[in-house]
Amino acid sequence: MVTENAAVAAANAADKPDQDSFVCYFEGGYVPLGDARISIMTHAFLYGTGVFEGIRAYWNPEQKQLYALRVQEHIVRLRNSCKIMLMADVPSVEDFSNIVLEVLRRNNFREDAYCRPSVYKSTKAIGVRLHGLSHDFYVLGVPFGDYIDTEKGIAVGTVSWRRVSDTAIPARSKITGSYVNPAFSKTEAMLNGFEEAIVLTQDGHVAEGSAENLFMVRDGVLITPAVSDEILEGITRAGIIELAEHLGIKVKERSIDRTELYIADEVFLCGTGAQISPVSSVDHRPVGDGRVGPVARLIGKTYFDAVRGRLPEFRHWVTPVYKSE
Ligand code: PMP
């Protein structure tokens, strides 16, 4: 039985922003979100030939500051996705990052927010291909809270769908059309009563969640699938590896079998949207004793302090959006 949990509520809130009250960047200028419209003939709409990023910004109430998280890293990955999709001529990392920060600034967000830059094939044409098409881009921003639970631990289930392989659609780029695959996975998991999916690679190894990378803890070592295991090269994943090194926790990148998750001491998912989301059970088997374990708790706490600009060691992760008052 599926109820309206935090994930559904957050997704619905993001689905129905009060469009007139938000400003976005669209094809060369800042306009109300409701005025940013594309033709139904747009190639990216017809064939899913766009790339995108999801960037979070965190409100720090003590400092009255909004911190945008890992903006440059997201723009570097976006530009890599563009390269893979034969979209040259995109703004520099600096120029693109400045547009993201300006969208947040113009919306004057004083709460947690989500920014989506997207570059997409803008030619109005029937005909499936990548080459010989023009492209354009937008950056939108909306308020955004938790996407999935980050406190009590979630129940996850392995789904029957497989992660789209790098031999079919490039795994390391965020291509809009490829998100039909995680949509199938997430919905199968949720309709089966789980909160999130575990998705396997074609050869049966653990890849990731529907939109999250995965870590497990065995014998005190943090283990995560390697970047050649059909995963998105997650920015949160890289951040956790950095955090773990800072905290003195050993990290190993290697393939993970499904049943290793059944006997792991801890499992957690991570991503820009999901943040750090401890897993309490996998395929109805409790992880450890079913409670949030010490490694996930420590990493979670450190992560949430870092993203709100509270840890000097991790200030390089965040960019203040507003001038200090
Ligand atoms: N895997 C997939 C398929 C995703 O969509 C995301 C979200 N971008 C992630 C993993 C996590 O990546 P990141 O930490 O960069 O948000």
Side-chain angles (χ1 to χ4, degrees), residues 157-166 168 178 180-185 188 198-209 230 258:
T158 309
V159 293
S160 61
W161 300 99
R162 293 290 171 265
R163 170 74 159 89
V164 70
S165 154
D166 195 56
S178 73
V180 173
N181 176 244
F184 271 98
S185 297
E188 179 178 310
I198 297 294
V199 190
L200 306 181
T201 61
Q202 289 296 337
D203 70 358
H205 288 114
V206 174
E208 51 186 5
E230 319 281 19
R258 172 180 183 170

Side-chain angles (χ1 to χ4, degrees), residues 51-303:
V51 298
F52 72 104
E53 281 297 319
I55 304 176
R56 266 190 188 266
Y58 288 90
W59 177 242
N60 179 316
E62 305 97 66
Q63 299 173 19
K64 299 196 174 14
Q65 182 58 271
L66 186 68
Y67 284 110
L69 182 64
R70 317 293 301 265
V71 177
Q72 305 231 329
E73 289 84 347
H74 281 285
I75 298 301
V76 167
R77 187 170 66 187
L78 183 69
R79 285 168 50 87
N80 285 340
S81 295
C82 289
K83 186 175 184 188
I84 288 171
M85 291 285 281
L86 296 180
M87 296 192 279
D89 187 25
V90 281
S92 67
V93 173
E94 191 185 348
D95 290 350
F96 221 137
S97 301
N98 282 336
I99 295 171
V100 168
L101 297 172
E102 185 61 21
V103 165
L104 290 167
R105 206 171 286 131
R106 286 184 185 231
N107 281 292
N108 201 23
F109 290 129
R110 279 174 158 66
E111 62 195 304
D112 294 351
Y114 177 88
C115 233
R116 170 162 305 204
S118 176
V119 186
Y120 54 94
K121 303 277 188 188
S122 56
T123 302
K124 297 177 188 65
I126 307 281
V128 65
R129 64 181 189 277
L130 291 178
H131 67 282
L133 299 166
S134 58
H135 56 272
D136 216 319
F137 69 98
Y138 70 77
V139 180
L140 68 80
V142 288
F144 201 64
D146 284 350
Y147 172 68
I148 49 179
D149 174 79
T150 58
E151 297 269 333
K152 64 170 180 37
I154 57 170
V156 304
T158 309
V159 293
S160 61
W161 300 99
R162 293 290 171 265
R163 170 74 159 89
V164 70
S165 154
D166 195 56
T167 58
I169 300 179
R172 59 187 37 70
S173 50
K174 284 178 74 77
I175 298 169
T176 54
S178 73
Y179 274 75
V180 173
N181 176 244
F184 271 98
S185 297
K186 176 89 179 189
T187 287
E188 179 178 310
M190 291 190 79
L191 296 185
N192 284 337
F194 299 108
E195 284 155 281
E196 188 44 79
I198 297 294
V199 190
L200 306 181
T201 61
Q202 289 296 337
D203 70 358
H205 288 114
V206 174
E208 51 186 5
S210 66
E212 307 86 21
N213 290 113
L214 177 141
F215 283 85
M216 70 171 180
V217 179
R218 291 192 69 186
D219 300 324
V221 179
L222 203 47
I223 304 166
T224 192
V227 293
S228 48
D229 264 348
E230 319 281 19
I231 64 167
L232 182 75
E233 296 184 8
I235 290 164
T236 318
R237 173 185 178 278
I240 286 173
I241 293 173
E242 190 185 338
L243 272 184
E245 278 161 10
H246 172 76
L247 296 167
I249 301 165
K250 199 169 162 205
V251 182
K252 228 186 224 173
E253 295 177 59
R254 65 151 173 88
S255 295
I256 294 178
D257 282 341
R258 172 180 183 170
T259 58
E260 281 189 283
L261 300 182
Y262 297 177
I263 58 166
D265 302 316
E266 297 185 39
V267 176
F268 61 90
L269 299 173
C270 70
T272 301
Q275 309 173 103
I276 312 291
S277 185
V279 170
S280 55
S281 69
V282 179
D283 298 343
H284 304 289
R285 280 99 175 155
V287 174
D289 63 6
R291 284 180 296 194
V292 178
V295 176
R297 197 172 289 288
L298 178 62
I299 287 186
K301 185 185 176 325
T302 316
Y303 182 82

